[in-house]
Amino acid sequence: MSISFKNYAFVRNKLLNREEIALLDVREEDPHAREHPLFAANLPLSRIEVDAYGKLPKKDTPIVTLDDGEGYAKLAAQRLLAMGFTDVSIFEGGVQGWKMAGGEVFKDVNVPSKAFGELVESKRHTPSLSAQEVKKLIDDQEDVVVVDVRRFDEYNTMSIPTGISVPGAELVLRLPELAPNPNTKVIVNCAGRTRSIIGTQSLINAGIPNEVNALRNGTIGWTLAGQELDKGQTRKFKAVSQATTSEAAERARSVADRAGVKRASLADVNKWKSQSERTTYFFDTRTPEEYEAGHLPGFRSVPGGQLVQETEMVAPVRGARIVLVDPSGGGVRANMPASWLAQMAWEIYVLDDITTDQLTERGAWKAPLPQLPTIPSVDAKTLSHWLRTDSNTLVVDFSTHANYVKGHIPGSWYALRSQLSEALLKLPTVDRYVLTSSPAELAIFVAQEFQELTQAEVLILEGGNTAWSSAGLDLEKGAAHLASPPLDRYKRPYEGTNIDPAAMQAYLDWEFGLVEQLGKDGTHHFWVL
């Protein structure tokens, strides 16, 4: 089947008219982060079977695949058509074609959210304090509470002294009991700027009586000021009373109403699930632990703060409808994120009046997958025996580089599916290759391509790396045996504890320029309450 091409005017008109479109940058995350259109969502060719059904719930959504001349866009389009998607095109000329047509390109990841955060600060003059000013407040033992609105794992890696982990959507619900005295100063921090701006402005919009300031430039600003960060902290928010929940619910609902957030019922949800003419995303914005204890069928776990920060990672169809639910927090953690998504020009609904007896599903969200190909496999115990006794068996791991470094089967090699031909030139030549990954299904989709490129026997590890660990077998850590460069992960200038100060400053300078870039792009429809 021949695949059509779409040009800049087609994509731009879709965005300007707020019509549904999924502009998918199918390169790995690192090249994607170097330059891409504002609403080009990163969905790498390497993971397309694993991610597509969960991120593109409607089969006839207009999809346009994008690369930078590597040929990935055509391969991705072919795979999407084979998976049953019916309206798939390739962007003509790739990223260079976008630029030649006058399109603006952006660096980094989660750019729509970061650009929106900068727009909010420019319009609302969100108050902030410098790292030196915040350190003096702490050192002088002033009445101050520092709340860290990042994911807990980011907070645990490095944090501001005295800081407490309160991920963004939890702020309006939890802060009244963390700072019950209205005279207590509140400092909101993240790694850079966006989440602290949105968190601070959330508390102000909700009418919290305390003085609230963002920590200007977050942990980056703290580090650039030559100040020490804490590491390994575990302070977390606590459960709050029903009275606090009720008051927070009123505040959050008021903000959502002012932002034009719409309301939905379970009857609406059931109708939209089967609707063919619109894409609808259903997200549960509570903590993953609450979600796993019981949730509505068909809703995906996406904590609200991260949803505002990383919208395109879970909702790549621009122009789609989004439905949020928070059944156990008085709706606070749905209404506050919804208020921001409304300002980011999403059609956004909050599902009300859900009772605990309707939360009939348990466990983590599982991505819907296409039919898995049948590939010969081996169990973990047998593989372990082979590795101890047979030097002609090699394990190749297609997990993310970050997960591979955290722990992999001893002696295994890391490879990227998108770089498979090049990786095979670096892998030792053996009689038998066993492919593994997290999630386990990824290796199954790679196996057929792998077999076509080698004369050796190719098997998959049943259950992937999870099954290996569950069998009580040891993992090794580190970045040895890399058959591919780690292009699947763009190294954020605010992650980890050993970052070049020049890279941090360059990142801040880039953020400061985003409002001007938004103006040049002109397709966003953002507005600020």
Side-chain angles (χ1 to χ4, degrees), residues 248-512:
E250 287 181 20
R251 291 181 184 277
R253 175 63 188 264
S254 171
V255 178
D257 288 346
R258 280 163 33 219
V261 173
K262 301 171 186 176
R263 317 314 297 183
S265 66
L266 214 46
D268 294 322
V269 167
N270 292 331
K271 178 180 73 179
W272 293 335
K273 279 181 180 177
S274 60
Q275 190 178 52
S276 60
E277 64 269 21
R278 283 300 304 278
T279 296
T280 306
Y281 294 103
F282 302 98
F283 298 135
D284 186 319
T285 50
R286 300 173 296 165
T287 66
E289 294 80 10
E290 289 171 278
Y291 174 88
E292 289 176 24
H295 57 267
L296 286 169
F299 276 73
R300 178 177 181 175
S301 174
V302 187
Q306 287 306 111
L307 174 58
V308 174
Q309 174 77 0
E310 302 175 345
T311 317
E312 87 288 356
M313 286 188 168
V314 288
V317 180
R318 188 69 179 159
R321 177 195 292 128
I322 297 177
V323 182
L324 307 185
V325 68
D326 167 21
S328 49
V332 176
R333 295 166 296 179
N335 280 309
M336 290 308 300
S339 74
W340 293 117
L341 293 175
Q343 294 170 70
M344 292 169 74
W346 288 94
E347 184 185 349
I348 181 78
Y349 291 79
V350 169
L351 178 56
D352 292 322
D353 304 322
I354 298 302
T355 56
T356 52
D357 62 310
Q358 292 169 316
L359 308 179
T360 54
E361 290 202 344
R362 306 277 184 274
W365 181 77
K366 287 187 173 61
L369 297 170
Q371 185 172 354
L372 298 175
T374 303
I375 305 292
S377 63
V378 59
D379 64 80
K381 293 282 188 187
T382 304
L383 175 59
S384 175
H385 174 73
W386 287 351
L387 293 175
R388 287 196 310 273
T389 60
D390 176 11
S391 61
N392 248 333
T393 295
L394 187 75
V395 178
V396 187
D397 193 327
F398 289 89
S399 305
T400 63
H401 178 259
N403 281 339
Y404 176 82
V405 170
K406 281 179 192 170
H408 53 266
I409 294 169
S412 63
W413 284 67
Y414 162 81
L416 263 177
R417 181 185 183 186
S418 61
Q419 310 280 311
L420 197 51
S421 299
E422 299 89 336
L424 272 166
L425 298 175
K426 295 184 180 178
L427 291 173
T429 302
V430 292
D431 294 334
R432 181 197 289 134
Y433 293 97
V434 178
L435 313 187
T436 186
S437 59
S438 295
E441 292 83 5
L442 190 54
I444 300 174
F445 290 114
V446 178
Q448 213 160 356
E449 297 164 56
F450 199 103
Q451 183 68 79
E452 288 168 3
L453 293 169
T454 177
Q455 301 303 308
E457 181 184 13
V458 177
L459 302 96
I460 56 148
L461 172 59
E462 289 172 20
N465 295 328
T466 302
W468 179 273
S469 297
S470 298
L473 298 164
D474 290 337
L475 296 171
E476 67 179 7
K477 297 180 179 180
H481 296 152
L482 302 185
S484 301
L487 300 177
D488 63 327
R489 176 72 173 172
Y490 161 66
K491 177 66 172 161
R492 282 91 165 138
Y494 44 82
E495 282 184 333
T497 56
N498 186 25
I499 304 292
D500 176 21
M504 292 188 201
Q505 187 58 57
Y507 176 78
L508 294 176
D509 294 341
W510 165 78
E511 283 197 299
F512 295 141

